[in-house]
Every structure is written in structure tokens, then in C-alpha cells.
Amino acid sequence: MSEFRPTLRPALGSKQPVASATFGLSTLPEGTIIHVLARPGEQDVAHLLASLNGSDPHALRPVSPDQWFIVRDAAMPNQEMKGLFAALEPRASGVDQSHGRVRIRIEGKMAQRALSKGTALDLDSSAFPVGQSAVTLIGHIAAHITRVSSDAFEIIVLRGFAESLWDDLTRMGLEFS
Amino acid sequence: MASLVPCPNCGRRPKEEFTIKGAALSRPGADADSENWFDYVYLRDNPRGAYEEYWHHTSGCRRWLVVMRDTLTHEVAACRDATDGSRSERRK
């Protein structure tokens, strides 16, 4: 048997958060991310998900037509997740992405300006209000962006791209920090 | 190129987010003769003007779209989700 033992460590564990008056960059806990995919033709799955999710704001994030992310800061126990997946069937299916995707928070008065350097998405609050989500490119990396308050965004990115995206975001915010 | 594509699911997005498959042609029936299939697989008209293509919104909603664009001016006339067409195209 191999001597090699993989250790689970945070994808962005070695990164220093950026905090200045107008620009902040921080990692979020690697809690729970569940990708939910509705069966073709199913209506109103969003309502089902909202009822399962309680009142936590921004816990349910649209990804694309008939797809959502369920996001929590805390890790979800295995039994609870099994229960959730069972409750979704047969109208939708859940896939645990907690270790596959990483969340990054970008905030501050200049966060929108900094983020706009990397994406063609219109981030103005009239076009992209609080609670809105979108999948887009940041540089060459596909990412899921959600506006969580007027000057804070959460980015969900594939784990393997997280470090690279973090470095890009740091560079985009250099002039503000 | 048609640099801003009006995705019906995501809004206007730059072409870098998309992958182009090629002309949106109607698929011959499974029992069509080989001439029809040869035409469908290999022969393209390459028109100067209006053209319908399958585009995949790879870095967005990941849906197949049908983009109608002008090969001369690169203007996009229309863009719809590929499943909005005939039922036979719909993924089961």
C-alpha cells in the first residue's frame, strides 16, 4: 500500500485576505455547495427548493435554466444531505459539490469596479441587483457571481481554478488596496 | 465577429463565452438515403448573409442556442434556446 496519504486542506488556505477601506477579498468557509438539476419539463422546482431551504438569504442561487446551487457556510451532515436528495426526487436531482467548488467574497466600494475589469457582465445595481446570480467568465475562468449586498459579491469557482482566480482578483484590486 | 450575443437565458454576453458548433440544419430521418446524410454531414453552403448556427454558451448557462447572424455584417438578428424549436429537437 502506498505511503501517500491525501490531506484535505482549504484550496485557498495559503492566501492572505485583502482588506482595505475600499476593497476587500476573503475566502469563505468550505461548507456546503449542492448543485440541483431539475428534470426536463418540471415546473416550479424553485418553489420546492425555497420551501426546503428555509429563510436563509442567498442560500439558493440560480445557475442556469432549471439549475441551482444550494449554499451553506457549515458542512451538511451526510444523513441530512441524503434526506435532502430524497426530498428532491423525482422532480430534481442534487449533486454534492462541496469539495469541488470554492467560494470567494469580494467587497468594498471599489469591488464592482475591480470585478468589472475581468468580466463583461453588467454589474451596475440596476442590471444586477442584490440577490442576482450569473455564470460568466472572469478573465479566462468560468465563475458564478452573486451580488449579496450593494457592494459585496460572492464568487463560486471550481476548486482547481480557485488559486488562479484569487491571484487575478488580487491583481484587479491592487490599485484600490 | 458578432461580439455581443443576446443569450435568451443570460442577456448580452461576449462571444468569448461561447463555442460555435456550426450550421443549424434539420437532421434527416434515420432511414434517409446516404445522399441526404452525406449532404447533412459534409456539404455546407457558406452563404453571404443570413446564417443560422448552433452556439453553446459554454461559460454561461451551458445551453445550446440557435444564433441567427449575418456572415457579412456580423449582426445578430435573433438568438433562441435550441429546445424552443421543434419538439423533436428537445432533449429527453
Side-chain angles (χ1 to χ4, degrees), chain A residues 119-121 136-137, chain B residues 2-6 11-18 55 57 59:
Chain A
T119 177
L121 195 65
T136 185
L137 281 181
Chain B
S3 32
L4 284 175
V5 180
R12 286 157 70 86
R13 295 298 182 87
K15 69 167 175 33
E16 284 76 12
E17 292 189 2
F18 297 82
W55 286 45
H57 198 180
S59 305

Side-chain angles (χ1 to χ4, degrees), chain B residues 34-72:
Chain B
S34 58
E35 201 174 312
N36 272 327
W37 273 104
F38 185 83
D39 193 340
Y40 171 74
V41 175
Y42 296 110
L43 303 182
R44 294 292 176 270
D45 290 338
N46 193 19
R48 187 175 192 262
Y51 201 38
E52 258 195 346
E53 282 171 318
Y54 282 119
W55 286 45
H56 186 240
H57 198 180
T58 314
S59 305
C61 56
R62 301 195 60 84
R63 301 281 294 186
W64 280 103
L65 311 172
V66 177
V67 176
M68 205 194 286
R69 70 179 179 97
D70 192 302
T71 55
L72 184 67

Side-chain angles (χ1 to χ4, degrees), chain A:
Chain A
M1 206 174 168
S2 165
E3 290 295 304
F4 178 75
R5 290 284 175 276
T7 48
L8 187 63
R9 53 170 186 262
L12 298 171
S14 61
K15 301 294 178 189
Q16 290 301 316
V18 179
S20 79
T22 54
F23 180 78
L25 199 60
S26 52
T27 59
L28 290 165
E30 291 185 14
T32 307
I33 298 176
I34 295 169
H35 192 176
V36 178
L37 301 98
R39 298 228 181 276
E42 286 289 344
Q43 305 290 324
D44 271 345
V45 175
H47 281 108
L48 169 72
L49 292 171
S51 67
L52 289 172
N53 240 341
S55 57
D56 191 7
H58 313 307
L60 184 67
R61 303 179 185 180
V63 177
S64 67
D66 295 337
Q67 295 186 30
W68 297 264
F69 283 140
I70 294 173
V71 174
R72 290 193 194 173
D73 281 345
M76 191 185 279
N78 191 29
Q79 277 305 321
E80 192 186 336
M81 197 177 287
K82 272 187 172 170
L84 176 64
F85 289 175
L88 291 175
E89 297 290 348
R91 298 178 61 193
S93 298
V95 183
D96 184 11
Q97 287 282 307
S98 307
H99 297 138
R101 291 169 201 259
V102 169
R103 286 194 297 147
I104 298 170
R105 183 182 167 93
I106 172 167
E107 62 195 320
K109 229 168 63 189
M110 289 299 168
Q112 186 181 321
R113 281 269 298 277
L115 203 51
S116 294
K117 292 181 188 178
T119 177
L121 195 65
D122 185 356
L123 293 174
D124 189 83
S125 53
S126 60
F128 198 70
V130 174
Q132 182 103 359
S133 295
V135 181
T136 185
L137 281 181
I138 302 177
H140 288 281
I141 299 171
H144 180 269
I145 305 177
T146 305
R147 186 179 219 125
V148 291
S149 79
S150 58
D151 53 6
F153 300 86
E154 269 190 35
I155 298 168
I156 299 177
V157 65
L158 286 168
R159 186 185 184 91
F161 288 115
E163 264 194 284
S164 182
L165 180 65
W166 177 278
D167 293 342
D168 287 350
L169 291 172
T170 318
R171 215 161 297 137
M172 277 143 64
L174 264 186
E175 63 170 307
F176 310 119
S177 50

Side-chain angles (χ1 to χ4, degrees), chain B residues 71-85:
Chain B
T71 55
L72 184 67
T73 63
H74 303 312
E75 278 172 69
V76 177
C79 179
R80 62 178 168 86
D81 198 293
T83 53
D84 289 347

